[in-house]
Amino acid sequence: MGEPSWQETLRLRLVERNAKESAYSPIIEQYRRLAQQTKLLKERNASLLRAMGTARANPSSSTVFVPGSGEDNPVRAAYITSLESQISSLRDELATVYKTQGQNAQRLLSMTETLREKEEFSRIESENLRKSREEISVLRRKVDQHNELMSEKDRTAQILHDEINTLQLELSQIEERNQILTKDNAKLLQRWLDAKQAEVNRMNEANQLYEELQSRKQAMLNSKKGSTTSDEASEALSLDDQSSGNGESRRSSGSTTTRNGTLSPTEKEPSKTPNG
């Protein structure tokens, strides 16, 4: 499993930093050893000079090393002292190296454990990242589906809006036709009422004329009552025939009267509808 990009970047930067910091470490180590060696040589030379000073102060002592001689030689003693000091210094340095090696081993174990924990953490993070990417892909698909659904709903809403506009236009046209029909109906009703009013007026005039004729007939009969001449009787009969003829003509026109001159309720014209 490949490491994440940020971890690889961090590792590369740490390697670069360590490389920059350890670029001069060999030279520094050489200078340290050289300084330590110089110190040891200085101590050795100082001990040798002290031994030479002691030998000059005591001329009876031999300054030449004679192998197998049991006498103490100051130069030899100084050289041994210098070697012992070098051995002690090397032992201290070796102990320091062992101590540093132990510390480095401990640090190596700690760093190994830390590296293992980091790798485990990196593995967990990589797994979480993989799951997150899968969730993102699922959510993106859902978003695409929702966008398609919203687009379909927008198209449906546009179609419904167009249909509503069409229906509103048709409704306005129907209302306009209804208003026109209402006006036409009102005009027809008014014309029918006017026609009926004119017919009633004509019937009233006919009834009034009939009543006048009846009153004249009655007056003539009353004025000539008691006269028995044939001329007067014939005139009365002719007048009666004329009156009965006028009544029959009125009956033929569709109106009948009772004895008192009013229209008979059973013979009135049937009511017509407003449409005729």
Side-chain angles (χ1 to χ4, degrees), residues 236-261:
L237 290 172
S238 63
L239 182 60
D240 191 6
D241 293 336
Q242 184 179 1
S243 299
S244 61
N246 292 331
E248 289 176 357
S249 64
R250 291 189 189 91
R251 290 190 191 96
S252 64
S253 65
S255 62
T256 59
T257 58
T258 61
R259 290 181 179 181
N260 56 3

Side-chain angles (χ1 to χ4, degrees), residues 45-224:
N45 291 332
S47 60
L48 290 174
L49 289 174
R50 285 195 300 272
M52 291 297 295
T54 304
R56 289 177 179 176
N58 189 7
S60 60
S61 61
S62 176
T63 58
V64 179
F65 176 70
V66 180
S69 62
E71 297 179 358
D72 294 332
N73 192 346
V75 177
R76 180 182 177 188
Y79 186 71
I80 292 172
T81 303
S82 176
L83 292 177
E84 289 178 354
S85 64
Q86 288 182 10
I87 292 171
S88 177
S89 177
L90 290 174
R91 285 177 180 176
D92 294 338
E93 185 177 357
L94 183 61
T96 303
V97 169
Y98 285 152
K99 184 178 179 181
T100 305
Q101 185 177 2
Q103 292 178 354
N104 291 333
Q106 187 65 29
R107 289 178 61 188
L108 180 61
L109 292 176
S110 178
M111 291 181 69
T112 303
E113 183 67 21
T114 304
L115 180 61
R116 188 184 63 79
E117 292 177 357
K118 294 295 182 182
E119 287 178 352
E120 183 67 19
F121 180 75
S122 176
R123 187 185 64 79
I124 295 172
E125 290 295 324
S126 300
E127 185 67 20
N128 293 332
L129 181 61
R130 184 184 63 79
K131 292 180 180 179
S132 299
R133 287 177 178 174
E134 291 178 355
E135 291 177 358
I136 289 172
S137 62
V138 173
L139 292 175
R140 284 178 178 174
R141 287 195 296 271
K142 289 183 178 179
V143 168
D144 294 336
Q145 293 176 357
H146 289 168
N147 290 331
E148 292 178 358
L149 183 61
M150 290 301 295
S151 300
E152 185 66 24
K153 288 183 178 180
D154 290 338
R155 289 193 293 270
T156 305
Q158 184 65 33
I159 293 171
L160 292 176
H161 184 69
D162 295 338
E163 291 180 355
I164 289 171
N165 291 333
T166 304
L167 293 175
Q168 287 180 351
L169 181 60
E170 292 179 356
L171 180 61
S172 63
Q173 292 176 356
I174 292 172
E175 289 178 352
E176 186 177 357
R177 286 200 299 270
N178 288 335
Q179 291 177 358
I180 294 172
L181 292 174
T182 302
K183 292 179 180 179
D184 293 340
N185 192 13
K187 290 179 180 180
L188 291 174
L189 180 61
Q190 187 63 37
R191 289 174 61 187
W192 182 78
L193 292 174
D194 293 341
K196 289 297 178 182
Q197 185 65 35
E199 185 178 354
V200 169
N201 291 333
R202 289 193 300 270
M203 290 177 66
N204 290 332
E205 290 176 357
N207 289 331
Q208 186 177 3
L209 179 60
Y210 179 72
E211 289 175 358
E212 289 178 356
L213 292 174
Q214 287 292 104
S215 61
R216 285 180 184 181
K217 177 183 177 182
Q218 189 67 31
M220 290 177 67
L221 290 174
N222 290 331
S223 63
K224 293 181 178 182

Side-chain angles (χ1 to χ4, degrees), residues 28-48 82 85-86 89-90 93:
I28 294 172
E29 182 65 20
Q30 292 294 332
Y31 273 104
R32 188 184 66 79
R33 291 180 180 179
L34 181 61
Q36 188 176 4
Q37 189 69 22
T38 304
K39 180 181 178 181
L40 292 175
L41 291 175
K42 286 182 178 181
E43 291 178 356
R44 180 179 176 183
N45 291 332
S47 60
L48 290 174
S82 176
S85 64
Q86 288 182 10
S89 177
L90 290 174
E93 185 177 357

